[in-house]
């Protein structure tokens, strides 16, 4: 079969996008929030869990597929979803651009701009990129629904799958509803001869079915929050903080308050970043937006409104740039059109026809600079360097005891598949098992990971100070019975000590039971220890099983969305 040139170029763009994202993922440290979002998914498939207190069940289930493919947590497997869906988001952007401009060359440029965007590459982690892939796919189907209304069903389905990945994408309902109404009222066939607006019963039926599809897709989260509220009085973060229903079960987690000052500061910071590291994207994205705006007004309004509404809401609360990836996606869409028109203008004016390839090369250079910066910082990536040390230097059967002065997320992530326990809990366990007879004891390699208190080892200063004295005492005790075998300087400074200790065999079960983080058992070996665990029977058990079945159907649809996007490319 002969491959079309457009398809070949698009395939090369996807390959480039995957390569760039894999390199970035391998060299970028795991931040505090990402520790939560990458540990909760580990082993969640098969746990029977409908949702978590953090929401985002679709992201957690997709991420666990990455763990099963790679066999363990790594910097790449933890970002498997972002790499995969981030790369194929370039294809969705191509399809949106084709739908808008009816120009495949402009669409290919749009896809390339997104694939190589320095802003997107540097923030291609957590659940945002995956969520915005489904948001973009929902936008594409919504645009197609004006020609074939059955696409509205797919739009609502993908929007809800995106919301199950990250609820912020529900903001798209506002521009969708606005454009839907504006398009309806401008159609002459929707008026009687007396110029009175009439109701299109077929369109209402399509709309009702679309809403029903969305609610059905959302049922796992609705069922989960119903049961956690009725059994525990608790709900997930979004139900508790946004809807005001139930309580978020983790205490001490502050709620972000929206402020205009934060919006201005974060928006300004993002704009300056674009100017410095993504200059072609912001220049040609804005140029294309201006040049094309009136040609398809409603679609243009919808795209810009979607990106700016999310920016307005999120930037006023939190500073993470990864939450705003929809903005460079929209800039990329219009950037392809802007760059193509600019190149044509230069060619007509100055008889120079190489502007487009030159700008694309400059864009790629920006992305290479971003990658080089990430590679240069890997040696100071705390979690990645520690994880490398564990894999290379520590026996799988070893017990790893951690200094309480090290943030729990660090050792939970680094030692997720090892027998690790905090120094405080290890002392308690050994005391409780002191009467175990000698024949039930084994000589085990034990490592102690010490925090050098020149930094706070991942804690906030106030939290570090709270446990500092206890950590110093436990470290003193371990230093008396161990030998230092390594110093690790990676963002924070650590010392590794080792020895052999005769331990009761039962301690391994205690260690396994103690492996929890953020209210959940690491690896889901003991789901009953989850902070939101509830038990149901009778009809409630049937409802819970129904929610789980829908969740797996959603997961299957999410995975099939990539071949669906490929099908749309071939069809076009």
């Amino acid at each position: 079969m002969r491959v079309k040139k457009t398809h070949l170029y698009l395939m090369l763009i996807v390959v480039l996008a995957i390569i760039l994202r894999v390199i970035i993922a391998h060299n970028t440290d795991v931040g505090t929030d990402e520790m939560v979002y990458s540990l909760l998914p580990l082993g969640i498939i098969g746990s029977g869990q409908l949702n978590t207190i953090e929401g985002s069940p679709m992201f957690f289930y997709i991420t666990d597929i990455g763990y099963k493919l790679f066999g363990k947590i790594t910097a790449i497997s933890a970002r498997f979803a972002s790499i995969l869906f981030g790369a194929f988001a370039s294809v969705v952007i191509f399809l949106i651009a084709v739908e808008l401009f009816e120009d495949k060359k402009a669409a290919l440029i749009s896809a390339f701009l997104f694939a190589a965007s320095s802003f997107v590459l540097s923030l291609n982690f957590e659940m945002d990129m995956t969520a915005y892939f489904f948001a973009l796919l929902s936008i594409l189907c919504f645009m197609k629904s004006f020609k074939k209304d059955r696409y509205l069903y797919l739009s609502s389905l993908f929007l809800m799958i995106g919301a199950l990945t990250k609820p912020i994408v529900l903001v798209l309902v506002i521009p969708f509803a606005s454009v839907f109404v504006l398009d309806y009222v401008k159609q002459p066939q929707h008026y009687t001869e007396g110029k009175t607006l009439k109701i299109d019963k077929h369109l209402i039926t399509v709309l009702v079915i679309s809403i029903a599809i969305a609610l059905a897709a959302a049922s796992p989260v609705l069922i989960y929050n119903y049961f956690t509220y009725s059994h525990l009085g608790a709900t997930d973060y979004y139900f508790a903080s946004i809807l005001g229903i139930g309580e978020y079960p983790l205490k001490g987690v502050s709620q972000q308050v929206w402020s205009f000052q934060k919006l201005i500061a974060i928006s300004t910071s993002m704009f300056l970043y674009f100017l410095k590291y993504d200059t072609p994207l912001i220049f040609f994205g804005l140029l294309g937006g201006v040049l094309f705006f009136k040609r398809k007004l409603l679609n243009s309004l919808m795209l810009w409104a979607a990106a700016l509404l999310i920016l307005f809401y999120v930037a006023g609360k939190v500073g993470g740039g990864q939450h705003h990836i929809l903005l460079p996606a929209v800039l990329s869409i219009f950037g392809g059109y802007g760059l193509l028109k600019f190149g044509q203008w230069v060619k007509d004016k100055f008889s120079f026809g190489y502007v487009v390839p030159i700008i694309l090369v400059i864009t790629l250079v920006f992305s290479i600079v971003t990658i080089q910066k990430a590679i240069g910082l890997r040696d100071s990536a705390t979690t990645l360097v520690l994880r490398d040390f564990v894999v290379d230097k520590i026996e799988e059967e070893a017990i790893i005891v951690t200094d309480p002065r090290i943030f729990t997320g660090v050792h939970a992530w680094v030692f997720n598949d090892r027998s690790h326990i905090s120094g405080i809990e290890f002392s308690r366990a050994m005391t409780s098992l002191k009467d175990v007879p000698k024949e039930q004891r084994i000589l085990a390699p034990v490592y102690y990971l010490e925090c050098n208190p020149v930094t706070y080892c991942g804690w906030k200063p106030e939290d570090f100070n709270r446990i500092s004295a206890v950590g110093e005492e436990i470290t003193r005790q371990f230093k008396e019975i161990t030998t230092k075998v390594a110093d690790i300087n990676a963002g924070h400074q650590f010392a590794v000590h080792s020895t052999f200790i005769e331990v009761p065999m039962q301690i391994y079960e205690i260690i396994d039971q103690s492996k929890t983080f953020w209210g959940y058992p690491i690896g889901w070996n003991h789901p009953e220890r989850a902070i939101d665990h509830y038990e149901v029977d009778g009809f409630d058990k049937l409802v819970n099983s129904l929610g789980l079945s829908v969740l797996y159907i959603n997961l299957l649809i999410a995975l099939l969305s990539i071949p669906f996007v490929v099908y749309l490319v071939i069809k076009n």
Side-chain angles (χ1 to χ4, degrees), residues 313-385:
Y313 176 73
V314 179
K317 299 184 73 172
V318 294
Q322 68 274 17
H323 307 313
H324 309 294
I325 287 178
L326 190 60
L327 181 57
V330 172
L331 286 169
S332 298
I333 291 168
F334 290 103
Y337 183 81
L339 178 52
L340 186 63
K341 290 299 179 184
F342 180 75
Q344 289 172 347
W345 178 80
V346 171
K347 185 177 181 180
D348 294 340
K349 191 81 172 177
F350 304 103
S351 299
F352 183 76
Y354 301 100
V355 167
V356 172
I358 288 173
I359 297 299
L360 295 184
V361 168
I362 291 173
T363 300
L364 188 58
V365 168
F366 274 116
S367 66
I368 291 171
V369 170
T370 299
I371 285 175
Q372 287 179 329
K373 286 176 63 178
I375 293 173
L377 291 172
R378 196 186 194 281
D379 288 342
S380 61
T382 303
T383 51
L384 305 187
V385 173

Side-chain angles (χ1 to χ4, degrees), residues 192-214:
T192 64
E193 292 182 1
K195 302 299 181 182
T196 303
L197 190 66
K198 62 181 181 181
I199 303 299
D200 186 328
K201 292 182 180 180
H202 171 72
L203 202 55
I204 293 299
T205 301
V206 171
L207 189 60
V208 169
I209 294 174
S210 299
I211 294 171
I213 289 172

Side-chain angles (χ1 to χ4, degrees), residues 389 393-394 446-448 482-488 494-499:
F389 181 87
K393 304 293 184 182
I394 297 182
V446 176
Y447 289 82
Y448 182 74
T482 59
T483 302
K484 185 162 75 169
V485 294
D487 286 304
I488 300 174
F494 306 93
V496 182
H497 307 265
S498 75
T499 188

Side-chain angles (χ1 to χ4, degrees), residues 2-53:
R2 186 169 172 266
V3 179
K4 293 182 179 179
K5 189 181 292 186
T6 299
H7 295 167
L8 177 61
Y9 287 150
L10 192 57
M11 184 173 63
L12 292 174
I13 288 171
V14 171
V15 171
L16 173 66
I18 291 173
I19 291 171
L20 294 176
R21 282 154 177 77
V22 167
I23 296 172
I24 282 284
H26 178 68
N27 291 284
T28 300
D29 200 8
V30 180
T32 303
D33 288 347
E34 196 180 8
M35 291 173 188
V36 177
Y37 304 142
S38 58
L39 280 173
L40 263 58
L42 181 62
I44 196 171
I45 294 176
S47 68
Q49 193 80 7
L50 285 176
N51 190 20
T52 69
I53 59 173

